[in-house]
Amino acid sequence: MIDIKPSESIAACNLLLQESNAIYHAAATKAGVSDCAFQILYMLQDAAVPCQQSEIAESASLPPQSVNSALKKLEQKGLVTLSGTSRRAGKKITLTESGEAFVEKHITPVRRAENEVVSSFSEEEIETFMRLFETLVKRLNRGIGEAIQEGEAT
C-alpha cells in the first residue's frame, strides 16, 4: 500500500486548483476582463432571468465588493445593465446586446471546451470525481471552520 501523507495530498490538490484557476485567468485576460468579471459573465450566460448582485456573489463564492467593482466596469463597458432598487446588491443585472455578443465570443468557446473535456470521461469517472471532490470540500469546510472557531476561542 502506498504511504500518502495528508499534507502532500493537500499540496497536490492545491496545485491542481491553482492550475485550474490559471486556465480561467488566461481566458479572462484574453477577453480583457478581470477574473471576477469573467465569472459574472459566465453566470449571466446561464441566467434565464436577471440576477441580483448578492445572488452572484453568493453562488460564485465571491466577495460582494469584488462583484460590485466588476459590475461597475462591465456596466461602463456597456456589457451589462443594472436596474431596479437603489441598493447595489438588489439591482437586477442583465446582459446588453453587446454583452451577449461578448459572451458568445469569449465565454461560449470556454464552455464548449469544458464540455468536450468532460465528455472525454465516462459517466462513472465523472460521478466518482464529483462525489470525491464534493466530499473533500465538505470535509475541508467543516475542518477549517472548526479550526477557525478554535483559533477565535484562544
Side-chain angles (χ1 to χ4, degrees), residues 26-91:
T29 300
K30 175 92 170 141
V33 296
S34 69
D35 294 4
C36 184
F38 193 85
Q39 281 186 272
I40 291 168
L41 294 168
Y42 188 103
M43 291 179 67
L44 289 174
Q45 186 179 34
D46 282 340
V49 296
C51 297
Q52 289 185 319
Q53 177 180 329
S54 56
E55 294 169 334
I56 290 174
E58 185 178 324
S59 63
S61 298
L62 294 168
Q65 302 86 344
S66 298
V67 172
N68 185 47
S69 296
L71 284 171
K72 284 180 183 177
K73 289 179 183 170
L74 290 171
E75 187 177 35
Q76 289 169 353
K77 288 183 173 191
L79 300 177
V80 300
T81 57
L82 305 173
S83 59
T85 69
S86 59
R87 287 182 42 240
R88 270 283 192 214
K91 288 192 177 258

Side-chain angles (χ1 to χ4, degrees), residues 71-132:
L71 284 171
K72 284 180 183 177
K73 289 179 183 170
L74 290 171
E75 187 177 35
Q76 289 169 353
K77 288 183 173 191
L79 300 177
V80 300
T81 57
L82 305 173
S83 59
T85 69
S86 59
R87 287 182 42 240
R88 270 283 192 214
K91 288 192 177 258
K92 300 287 185 187
I93 305 156
T94 54
L95 288 170
T96 62
E97 195 173 306
S98 295
E100 289 176 9
F102 186 93
V103 163
E104 185 61 31
K105 181 177 180 181
H106 297 287
I107 305 294
T108 299
V110 169
R111 286 180 173 263
R112 193 175 305 118
E114 289 171 332
N115 288 330
E116 288 173 13
V117 169
V118 172
S119 294
S120 72
F121 291 95
S122 71
E123 194 172 315
E124 182 180 344
E125 288 172 321
I126 294 167
E127 288 174 6
T128 300
F129 171 77
M130 294 302 292
R131 182 177 41 79
L132 290 172

